[in-house]
Amino acid sequence: MCGIVGFTGSLQAKDVLIEGLKRLEYRGYDSAGIAVDDGSTINVVRRLGKVSELDSAVGSADCLGGCGIGHTRWATHGMPSERNAHPHVSCDGSIAVVHNGIIENFVELREELQAKGHVFASETDTEVVAHLVEEAYQGDLLAAVRYAASRLVGAYGIAVICDKDPDTIVVTRKDSPIVLGHGENGSYVASDIIALIDATRDVVILEDDQFAVMHTDRIDYFDEEGNAIDPEITHVDWDIDVAEKGGYPDFMLKEIHEQPRVVRDTLAGRMDGNEIVIDELTLSRQELNFVDRVYIIGCGTSYHAGLIAKNLIEGWARIPTEVEVASEFRYRNPIITPTTMVVAVSQSGETAD
Ligand code: GLU
């Protein structure tokens, strides 16, 4: 999960983007970046760390212009680094892309594009999108993005700008949220309504395989085949506090209702038919067969998730499983043998324990 934002209109895009990214920071915060078209060139600023780091860098950088895209990342492919932070650009820097999700067939696409001479600058799955658009671009950004989307397998919310199409952003999605905003000062896009609710309350929730072409004064919508469509504009009258809770009266109810989607998002990109594939798990089936005891260690919510896992592992695999509070584990004298497996769970990825 991550956050994407975009704006084209009569304000300085960088201010709108930074403000939007701050509101989306809950969606990902290992790095952040923006790309702003100054009318002839796309200037990209990216920073490792929080949006505040990016904000300081943007302050001193040369990125004036009314059209731009931004991203706050939660890495799935390629470590958190400035090089892997979005936006990603095409070989000649004329096209910039932000992406939320996972491109499952990026290895094949990257090899295909490299064979055609494209040079990659990052380790991300996302960068193939910039090169695919570059490969297909013949003066029509929508057509090029439609071609790129037709080649992608996976989950994506994507926003693309091109220096030859000033003041225009092309957006599409599949299994990742995208909201468009029709505002007085221009057109907005974001992964979540809360990023644009200060600017406009007239929004369109883009559906899978639809495309939006954002201009300063209007947004045009198209279906997968490229036919113009006229989606319903929803007027959101929540205040910002309610919006942050997704319309639910409190965060607890929101999180309960979000669980099916969160589980789906977590597994997206890790399913092969009905099989769950975890590439990072390098234990062979044979090695796993030797495991005769499991410790699950975690704190707080992770500890409680471990209690559910204990039920599943003992029920399905019939292997005795202990769940331990991670911060206490090191002070105990647990029985760990060469055939014990320890699973460490961290909800945030940042728990020091
Ligand atoms: N898969 C992309 C990456 O690793 C996007 C991750 C995200 O949604 O933040 O860069």
Side-chain angles (χ1 to χ4, degrees):
M1 181 161 98
C2 76
I4 69 180
V5 285
F7 171 77
T8 181
S10 58
L11 307 172
Q12 283 300 334
K14 65 181 171 88
D15 299 334
V16 180
L17 299 176
I18 295 287
E19 214 35 58
L21 289 177
K22 284 182 181 162
R23 290 216 185 274
L24 292 180
E25 204 161 14
Y26 75 92
R27 297 178 61 88
Y29 40 82
D30 63 45
S31 52
I34 61 170
V36 175
D37 186 354
D38 69 8
S40 60
T41 308
I42 294 177
N43 295 302
V44 178
V45 185
R46 304 184 294 189
R47 282 296 178 274
L48 186 61
K50 293 185 179 286
V51 174
S52 53
E53 308 281 338
L54 177 70
D55 195 5
S56 322
V58 164
S60 54
D62 180 19
C63 57
L64 294 180
C67 177
I69 53 179
H71 188 267
T72 171
R73 181 172 186 235
W74 191 240
T76 65
H77 293 72
M79 62 192 286
S81 66
E82 196 168 307
R83 192 160 77 94
N84 288 335
H86 302 212
H88 291 287
V89 296
S90 56
C91 296
D92 64 1
S94 66
I95 289 157
V97 173
V98 287
H99 161 227
N100 169 23
I102 294 172
I103 309 298
E104 285 166 35
N105 60 337
F106 80 99
V107 174
E108 297 93 290
L109 291 172
R110 190 172 55 197
E111 282 167 5
E112 176 189 318
L113 289 156
Q114 279 171 332
K116 289 182 173 156
H118 289 262
V119 177
F120 283 71
S122 79
E123 301 148 348
T124 64
D125 51 338
T126 302
E127 196 183 341
V128 295
V129 182
H131 294 278
L132 276 175
V133 174
E134 179 175 42
E135 188 64 29
Y137 185 83
Q138 286 179 338
D140 181 344
L141 188 57
L142 172 63
V145 175
R146 278 184 54 221
Y147 166 78
S150 75
R151 300 292 318 277
L152 302 179
V153 176
Y156 50 83
I158 290 171
V160 185
I161 56 173
C162 172
D163 63 11
K164 295 174 200 78
D165 293 63
D167 303 328
T168 306
I169 305 175
V170 177
V171 178
T172 187
R173 64 156 265 180
K174 187 172 183 69
D175 295 331
S176 286
I178 288 281
V179 186
L180 282 305
H182 296 248
E184 262 177 30
N185 296 312
S187 303
Y188 299 76
V189 61
S191 306
D192 189 328
I193 289 176
I194 56 164
L196 37 87
I197 202 165
D198 273 347
T200 174
R201 283 157 184 281
D202 293 323
V203 304
V204 168
I205 318 274
L206 204 67
E207 306 266 330
D208 276 354
D209 301 316
Q210 291 182 341
F211 296 81
V213 182
M214 300 165 53
H215 302 283
T216 53
D217 58 345
R218 68 179 198 286
I219 306 176
D220 300 328
Y221 296 90
F222 301 89
D223 67 13
E224 198 174 357
E225 278 79 45
N227 304 311
I229 52 171
D230 194 11
E232 189 188 343
I233 296 184
T234 308
H235 185 78
V236 181
D237 51 14
W238 313 331
D239 63 25
I240 191 79
D241 188 40
V242 176
E244 281 185 330
K245 297 185 195 124
Y248 291 102
D250 53 63
F251 281 108
M252 185 161 177
L253 208 52
K254 176 177 180 242
E255 289 182 9
I256 289 169
H257 282 271
E258 273 178 351
Q259 286 188 31
R261 183 182 57 72
V262 170
V263 172
R264 249 196 325 270
D265 286 355
T266 306
L267 292 180
R270 296 195 179 276
M271 298 296 293
D272 183 9
N274 284 331
E275 287 256 310
I276 298 172
V277 182
I278 304 178
D279 292 333
E280 297 88 339
L281 187 67
T282 51
L283 287 174
S284 67
R285 205 165 269 266
Q286 201 190 11
E287 284 169 314
L288 282 170
N289 276 340
F290 281 115
V291 173
D292 59 7
R293 182 198 297 265
V294 179
Y295 279 108
I296 300 175
I297 60 170
C299 293
T301 311
S302 303
Y303 171 82
H304 288 91
L307 294 174
I308 305 281
K310 171 183 164 73
N311 278 343
L312 299 178
I313 294 170
E314 290 189 339
W316 288 337
R318 309 304 293 159
I319 302 174
T321 302
E322 309 289 334
V323 187
E324 302 263 356
V325 176
S327 53
E328 307 307 312
F329 193 62
R330 58 182 294 210
Y331 302 112
R332 293 214 318 104
N333 185 14
I335 301 168
I336 296 183
T337 69
T339 51
T340 302
M341 176 157 81
V342 178
V343 181
V345 185
S346 169
Q347 185 201 18
S348 61
E350 294 181 337
T351 310
D353 289 319

